Amino acid sequence: MLPSTLLGVLFSFAGLALLGSVAAFAYFTADLPSPQDLARDALAQSTRVYDRTGEHLLYQFEEERREVVTYGEIPQVLVDATVAAEDKSFWTNPGVDIVGIGRAIFADLTHSGSGQGGASTITQQLVKQRIVGAEVSLQRKIREAILAVEVTRTYSKQQILELYFNQIYYGNQAYGVKAAAETYFGKSDLTKLTLAESALLAGLPQAPSLLDPTKAENADRAKERRAYVLDQMVDNGAISRAEADVAADEPITVAGKQSTSITAPHFVFQVRNQLAAILGGDESAVTRGGYKVTTSLDMRLQQTAEQQVKDAVERLHRSNVWNAALVSMDTRTGEILAYVGSVDYYNRDDPRVQGQFDVAGIGVRQPGSAFKLFNYLTALKKGATAATVVIDARTDFGGKASPTGLSPSACGYCPENADLQYHGPITMRQAIRESRNVPAVRFLAEYSGVEDTIQTAHDLGITTPIDPTTVGLSLTLGSKEVKLVDMANSYGTVANLGVHVAPTYIMKVEDSKGNIVWEHKDYEQTRVVDAGTAYVMVDMLKDTTTHSPIFTSFTNIGRPAGLKTGTTDNLKDVYAVGFTPTLVTGVWMGNSNGELMSSRDFSSAIGPGQLWRDYMREIFSGFPSTDWQRPSNVVTAKVVVAPGDFGGYGSGLLPSGLAPFATGEIFVKGTQPVKVDDWFVQGCPTATGTTNVAMKIQDVRAPTTWQRYTDQWVRDAIAGLRTYGRYSWNLVPPDPCPSPSPTPSPSPTQRGGPPTLPPGRSPTPFPTPTRGRP
């Protein structure tokens, strides 16, 4: 029996130890996180981006490649393998393994450990990953153990395993067991895993890099680790020795490493931008949210676009063309169906390409004459018509002209046509078809106005800011840089007969549980142009793709379509934007470093125009042709205009008995002309002489100071200059003087003989007086 004094000392030491333990416990748990934190923060999951069918995976946005599974989706063999590999007493321990800790300490002290096991339980590993972090310190280890016990009291063993299987890293950017099964074995259904595959996966978390079975140098280590896991499964009674031996002898066969390539890369990054906006601007939600994004991309159109762009650019290397972009959009819904931001996304080295830069959606380029659409549409809205005539004559718009207004050295802003010729009276329709620059500037100055044209551009879909004080009248010739996707959207608004729909790259967004977060339906549709006005614009743009007795278009695609091309000065950028009733496609060509293209055998029509034609023909092959339905407020009237191969003829007014020709034109009801043609003035033989028929050319909206330019053009035309010989029969007084009776006029060739064309020009048949538009 111990003396009382000794007992007192022992009790004192025991009391002090107890007090010390309580104090130590209080110290380590003072600011300990709650075990509820284990499941509070959602795991980062991959956001998967698919085409419009939901079948083709385009890309995954992710911080960690992960797809969460439930415990019920995990096969028992994988559970048994993981428990055997990482925590043999998992089902019975309180969150920590005291025996395992002692064994680990002994192995460390004696250096006798096999290195195949550790002291941390599955619960401790989970706590370290999710709550306390991986700091190497005794304090962290103690806190981890305390929390592991608390977690085991809070959650069931099945819940802990489910969290573990979704949290743990298996190597090769695979977080969670489902990502690992897909990465290493190409299996998205975990129940398809074999015993050998399950054992291999269970062994990887210990050292994912060293055990990576996709690397040849790791083959032996991976096989040894798999054998260890199988042995532990035998010890636990999960499998028999015979089953283990068979599995251990299986060769390790893994799938190829998961590809990091992107399908339609520039499109995918536009999807990312729109998705972030849908999610409230939260960029982290895109890479952590585990969303399924069904996009608007049509794989057939996308593959066709990519191939056509590549082929066209290679064909045009001779003209120093090295890059191109293409956008196709549904005119009715705004859905982007094909999107090529550059000829080769992976070409980073060539400064002319700079493949990763998205010219279609980020780059701003001058559209050239393709911008004329906004000018002409504004003029139509303000009272002009397809038959409105302006004078294509050399004009100084800058106010610095000499007294005659014709001296080049004294010219302010004097735009020129591409052919360096001037064509006299020309209708809007013919100015558009022939892409005449001077008439476009005249329409802007006389009808549209710079500010109103800018507003039209913004209404239709142009998003880049445009300062009217810096662009002036050059606006209509495409002096302001814009985005290709905006130009496609704007032309699509016209093709949609004036109803604007914002572009979208996304059809539907679902969260990780399959709930619909956002869907492209009930989208905003805004009428920005009267349907009749838009129809007239469409009809004029159809001229550039339509074969007729007067002219032949090589951009014909075998169905009703409209098109406008554009070229900048010195061939820095070339454009083509065209549409059918259901689809609009915009094309840009050039060099990303601004290097000029060669004019040898090259133009906007040959470059982007031909690419547009070839692409549209291919994607519409086999589909029925559709046309626009004519709005009820569009009417037809005959006017003094005869479309020709080079320029126009006549006043655009109602025909009189003296008019040598007339043709049908469409108008928005109420805008058709009411004035009878007075450009042809007749006189008859009298006692004192004869007054012959002559042509009185005037532009009714032009400033009176511009009449001198018209008069000079008339003098040049009578002299046979800059007319292609077209006007010799109506500007020179005919002989004899015709009868004043309002009988049908003779054909142009009867009136003054056949026109004389410049050398190299083929004769073009002149229309008869009764010819009308279809």
Side-chain angles (χ1 to χ4, degrees):
M1 190 170 180
L2 293 173
S4 59
T5 53
L6 181 57
L7 286 173
V9 171
L10 290 175
F11 277 120
S12 297
F13 275 116
L16 289 173
L18 178 62
L19 288 174
S21 297
V22 170
F25 185 81
Y27 170 77
F28 286 114
T29 60
D31 58 349
L32 201 65
S34 167
Q36 302 293 341
D37 292 345
L38 190 70
R40 182 168 296 148
D41 295 331
L43 288 167
Q45 299 186 59
S46 302
T47 290
R48 298 191 170 199
V49 180
Y50 294 88
D51 76 326
R52 66 186 299 109
T53 68
E55 298 176 358
H56 299 283
L57 179 66
L58 306 180
Y59 193 59
Q60 294 182 183
F61 296 121
E62 56 201 6
E63 291 180 8
E64 301 172 353
R65 184 179 302 153
R66 175 187 285 113
E67 188 173 350
V68 172
V69 295
T70 64
Y71 183 79
E73 296 175 84
I74 304 169
Q76 188 62 44
V77 65
L78 187 56
V79 172
D80 291 341
T82 299
V83 168
E86 294 295 329
D87 186 1
K88 293 180 68 174
S89 65
F90 171 77
W91 294 108
T92 58
N93 69 48
V96 293
D97 182 1
I98 302 300
V99 175
I101 292 174
R103 185 170 59 247
I105 292 174
F106 178 79
D108 285 342
L109 292 175
T110 62
H111 304 289
S112 60
S114 65
Q116 299 283 14
S120 291
T121 64
I122 285 175
T123 310
Q124 285 177 275
Q125 292 178 52
L126 187 60
V127 166
K128 180 174 70 173
Q129 292 278 343
R130 296 282 289 166
I131 304 178
V132 300
E135 176 191 355
V136 180
S137 69
L138 177 62
Q139 180 179 355
R140 193 271 301 165
K141 195 68 175 177
I142 294 173
R143 288 161 61 86
E144 174 189 295
I146 294 171
L147 266 176
V149 173
E150 292 299 314
V151 164
T152 303
R153 292 176 180 174
T154 306
Y155 298 95
S156 70
K157 291 289 186 176
Q158 288 81 2
Q159 289 174 312
I160 292 171
L161 270 179
E162 179 180 302
L163 288 167
Y164 176 86
F165 275 118
N166 286 312
Q167 170 72 48
I168 210 70
Y169 180 57
Y170 287 85
N172 268 303
Q173 304 304 310
Y175 291 82
V177 72
K178 185 165 186 178
E182 291 177 340
T183 296
Y184 293 112
F185 304 116
K187 296 182 177 182
S188 57
D189 183 353
L190 299 179
T191 63
K192 303 297 185 183
L193 291 171
T194 66
L195 170 60
E197 291 170 343
S198 297
L200 179 66
L201 289 179
L204 287 176
Q206 183 194 65
S209 296
L210 292 176
L211 298 172
D212 180 0
T214 65
K215 297 178 180 178
E217 62 269 25
N218 292 339
D220 291 341
R221 280 192 291 262
K223 199 167 186 177
E224 289 174 5
R225 177 63 176 167
R226 184 182 67 176
Y228 167 79
V229 174
L230 291 169
D231 288 344
Q232 298 304 306
M233 293 179 73
V234 172
D235 287 349
N236 269 11
I239 59 173
S240 67
R241 169 52 57 187
E243 290 174 315
D245 290 343
V246 171
D249 288 338
E250 285 186 18
I252 295 178
T253 304
V254 295
K257 282 193 175 184
Q258 186 159 331
S259 173
T260 57
S261 63
I262 310 174
T263 300
H266 292 113
F267 175 83
V268 165
F269 293 126
Q270 289 291 347
V271 169
R272 178 180 182 139
N273 293 338
Q274 185 177 354
L275 180 59
I278 290 171
L279 300 176
D282 186 357
E283 289 284 346
S284 65
V286 174
T287 56
R288 296 179 59 86
Y291 296 98
K292 177 183 178 182
V293 182
T294 304
T295 71
S296 58
L297 193 76
D298 186 306
M299 286 302 298
R300 182 180 69 89
L301 270 64
Q302 179 66 23
Q303 291 168 356
T304 301
E306 291 177 356
Q307 189 62 51
Q308 290 280 9
V309 166
K310 179 181 178 182
D311 292 346
V313 170
E314 288 181 354
R315 185 173 61 248
L316 293 167
H317 282 340
R318 68 179 188 273
S319 297
N320 200 37
V321 177
W322 294 90
N323 202 8
L326 182 151
V327 175
S328 275
M329 184 185 308
D330 190 311
T331 61
R332 303 156 298 179
T333 65
E335 296 165 15
I336 304 291
L337 303 176
Y339 191 98
V340 181
S342 71
V343 68
D344 182 2
Y345 176 78
Y346 297 100
N347 186 340
R348 307 180 186 182
D349 301 325
D350 192 331
R352 297 167 299 186
V353 178
Q354 299 176 33
Q356 295 196 344
F357 182 75
D358 179 5
V359 184
I362 298 176
V364 287
R365 300 289 188 271
Q366 290 185 346
S369 292
F371 198 89
K372 291 175 182 175
L373 168 81
F374 307 109
N375 172 24
Y376 288 123
L377 193 59
T378 306
L380 290 175
K381 292 194 295 181
K382 298 177 75 171
T385 71
T388 295
V389 170
V390 297
I391 309 303
D392 182 12
R394 185 176 181 278
T395 305
D396 185 348
F397 296 94
K400 298 180 181 179
S402 65
T404 63
L406 301 172
S407 172
S409 62
C411 196
Y413 177 52
C414 297
E416 294 180 326
N417 295 314
D419 60 3
L420 303 180
Q421 298 288 338
Y422 302 97
H423 304 267
I426 188 169
T427 64
M428 180 188 290
R429 178 180 292 277
Q430 292 154 342
I432 291 173
R433 189 187 72 233
E434 300 164 17
S435 198
R436 302 297 176 193
N437 291 336
V438 176
V441 177
R442 284 209 173 211
F443 270 106
L444 182 62
E446 298 176 31
Y447 291 90
S448 310
V450 172
E451 292 188 358
D452 288 342
T453 298
I454 292 172
Q455 186 60 54
T456 296
H458 289 323
D459 290 343
L460 265 62
I462 297 299
T463 60
T464 49
I466 304 174
D467 183 356
T469 63
T470 60
V471 292
L473 294 176
S474 66
L475 173 70
T476 189
L477 304 184
S479 62
K480 179 59 184 176
E481 296 85 357
V482 293
K483 297 177 181 178
L484 179 62
V485 68
D486 287 353
M487 287 292 286
N489 185 220
S490 298
Y491 273 71
T493 301
V494 175
N496 201 29
L497 295 186
V499 177
H500 177 258
V501 180
T504 184
Y505 301 86
I506 297 176
M507 301 293 293
K508 184 170 62 176
V509 179
E510 300 169 77
D511 65 17
S512 59
K513 298 180 179 179
N515 301 312
I516 296 177
V517 174
W518 183 90
E519 195 168 8
H520 182 64
K521 66 178 183 178
D522 302 326
Y523 44 83
E524 185 177 358
Q525 302 180 69
T526 307
R527 176 160 295 285
V528 295
V529 180
D530 168 73
T533 302
Y535 182 84
V536 172
M537 190 74 234
V538 166
D539 193 68
M540 289 188 288
L541 290 172
K542 285 167 70 174
D543 282 357
T544 62
T545 68
T546 305
H547 295 318
S548 78
I550 305 303
F551 49 89
T552 299
S553 173
F554 79 97
T555 53
N556 182 276
I557 62 171
R559 64 188 56 237
L563 174 69
K564 187 71 189 75
T565 59
T567 305
T568 61
D569 291 343
N570 299 323
L571 284 178
K572 185 177 180 181
D573 301 287
V574 284
Y575 246 84
V577 192
F579 48 70
T580 66
T582 59
L583 184 78
V584 59
T585 298
V587 176
W588 167 87
M589 279 186 178
N591 296 308
S592 289
N593 62 350
E595 190 174 313
L596 302 183
M597 293 167 282
S598 169
S599 60
R600 181 172 61 88
D601 300 326
F602 182 71
S603 67
S604 59
I606 293 175
Q610 184 173 330
L611 170 55
W612 177 89
R613 178 201 66 189
D614 294 345
Y615 166 76
M616 295 289 275
R617 281 180 179 175
E618 182 171 347
I619 65 171
F620 277 113
S621 177
F623 289 84
S625 177
T626 59
D627 202 347
W628 286 266
Q629 185 174 356
R630 181 165 167 164
S632 59
N633 66 333
V634 174
V635 298
T636 300
K638 279 202 170 182
V639 292
V640 184
V641 169
D645 199 21
F646 303 104
Y649 310 81
S651 62
L653 303 176
L654 297 178
S656 69
L658 299 176
F661 35 69
T663 190
E665 182 56 89
I666 62 170
F667 301 87
V668 175
K669 190 174 182 179
T671 66
Q672 63 266 40
V674 295
K675 184 178 179 181
V676 175
D677 173 68
D678 61 356
W679 280 28
F680 287 86
V681 183
Q682 181 186 12
C684 294
T686 64
T688 58
T690 301
T691 302
N692 290 314
V693 175
M695 192 173 186
K696 182 180 68 175
I697 298 179
Q698 58 182 346
D699 186 343
V700 294
R701 292 286 292 265
T704 56
T705 55
W706 289 2
Q707 185 62 37
R708 59 187 174 185
Y709 303 118
T710 301
D711 294 341
Q712 182 62 46
W713 180 85
V714 170
R715 289 192 291 271
D716 291 344
I718 292 174
L721 303 175
R722 303 189 183 93
T723 68
Y724 299 106
R726 295 174 304 141
Y727 292 97
S728 60
W729 51 271
N730 61 22
L731 292 173
V732 179
D735 185 30
C737 179
S739 170
S741 62
T743 55
S745 303
S747 68
T749 55
Q750 292 172 325
R751 197 178 253 290
T756 302
L757 299 179
R761 297 285 186 182
S762 299
T764 302
F766 282 77
T768 62
T770 58
R771 179 183 181 274
R773 291 190 56 77

